[in-house]
Structure formats: structure tokens, C-alpha cells
Amino acid sequence: MVETNTGTVLFDPFITPNPLAVDIDITIIKPDHILITHGHGDHLADAQTIAKQSGAQLIANYEITTWFEGKGISNVHPMNIGGNIKLPLGKVKLVQAVHSSTMPDGTPGGNPVGFVVASERTFYYAGDTALTLDMQLIGEQFDLDFAFLPIGDNFTMGPEDALRCAEMINCNKIIGMHYDTFPYIKIDTLAAQRMFEVRGKELICMKIGESITL
Ligand code: NI
């Protein structure tokens, strides 16, 4: 979740089924917007509950917002890759991600996406993705203050490709995500952080429930 002075955005909520997040109380999570990158269960498990309790607007590709409308969530905003939306907290752009996107019940979830949010700070939330040359466009179009990149390997980029991505998007402050939750994506975070440091970049590996100011 990212809090700005003009609003709060929650990305890909996967909390109650997450074995590492047992201490997080989801009843107090009240964002203004919920942004979903793709249809996998480990990215949207708590989206319906949090959308209902908060009235937050759910923003995702058309296939995903339609699926949530079928679950009784009416405050949705459908988009697709390349599109922008202007929110009170700033501008949000959907960008390419290279992954898959089937909903938990087998419904096609459209194409996976990432988001670039231009608020008081400008940041890229990559979602689940492989390294792709398209990321260079993000570095050319935006002056990023920080970026959330997957580092867990196996299903997404590993640390080496995430570092290459950080160079392509011209961003020095990276928050790692999508690692250690399951055996398939366990990595050596200290080794990954050292690898970034050698190239003059910072890889932040937050603890569950931790808050940082950027
Ligand atoms: Ni995924």
C-alpha cells in the first residue's frame, strides 16, 4: 500500500491466505483505490473484502474489473495497457507485463499489467513480469523516484533481471516483492542486496507489516 498526501493506493492484496502475513489485520485497511495487476489468486485474494469494507475504487484491466463486478463490486474502473487515468492523487498508467493472468475460477483475466503512478513521487509497480525491453520506455517517459520489482525468480524476474530492469528504467531505489512467500520463490535476499549495491542501486526488502517513508 502506498500512502500519499492526496490518497492511498493498495496493490494486489494477498494477505489472509499468505502464510507470512498472519499478523496483518485486514479490517483496518481502507485505501481509496485498489490496483490489480493480473488475475492470479496471490494478487487479489482479499480485494473483494477490502473493496467492500472501504468502498475503494478497483482499477484493473477490463476482464478483471468485469469479474469483480460479477462478485458485487460496483466501484470499478476498467483500463487496458497504454491507457492513463487521472486520480486525485495523480496520474496512473497501465504498462506492459510479461506473465499470465487467469482468474482463480479459470475465467480469462486479460493481459497482465504493471502500473506507473505519478503522484508527489513517481513510481513503477511492475506486478509479476519477466524482464522485457519495453521497460526502457518507462525509463524514457518517467523520472522514477522508486520502483517495486519482483525478485523471487521462478515465476517472475529473479534478482539479476530485476537489477537489469532497474538500470533500464533508470531507477536507483528498488523495493523487492514476490519473494520468499513459497518454497518456489525463496531467494538469498542479502546476496541480492549486495549485487544491487555493487551497481550503485538500493534493493529494499521490507518486513511484513513494515512502513517506510520514501
Ligand atoms: Ni502471477
Side-chain angles (χ1 to χ4, degrees), residues 38 40 42-43 99-100 128 178:
H38 65 292
H40 293 160
D42 60 333
H43 292 260
H99 192 63
S100 54
D128 283 8
H178 213 272

Side-chain angles (χ1 to χ4, degrees), residues 191-211:
Q193 286 174 314
R194 274 195 297 270
M195 193 172 66
F196 273 64
E197 216 178 303
V198 168
R199 303 282 270 273
K201 309 237 177 245
E202 184 183 10
L203 175 62
I204 301 167
C205 295
M206 294 176 67
K207 294 184 186 68
I208 301 286
E210 184 183 4
S211 293

Side-chain angles (χ1 to χ4, degrees), residues 149 151 159 174-177 179-180 187-194 196 202-208 210 212:
L149 302 181
I151 57 171
I174 304 301
I175 297 111
M177 56 182 192
Y179 64 95
D180 282 1
I187 62 157
D188 184 342
T189 49
L190 281 179
Q193 286 174 314
R194 274 195 297 270
F196 273 64
E202 184 183 10
L203 175 62
I204 301 167
C205 295
M206 294 176 67
K207 294 184 186 68
I208 301 286
E210 184 183 4
I212 55 173

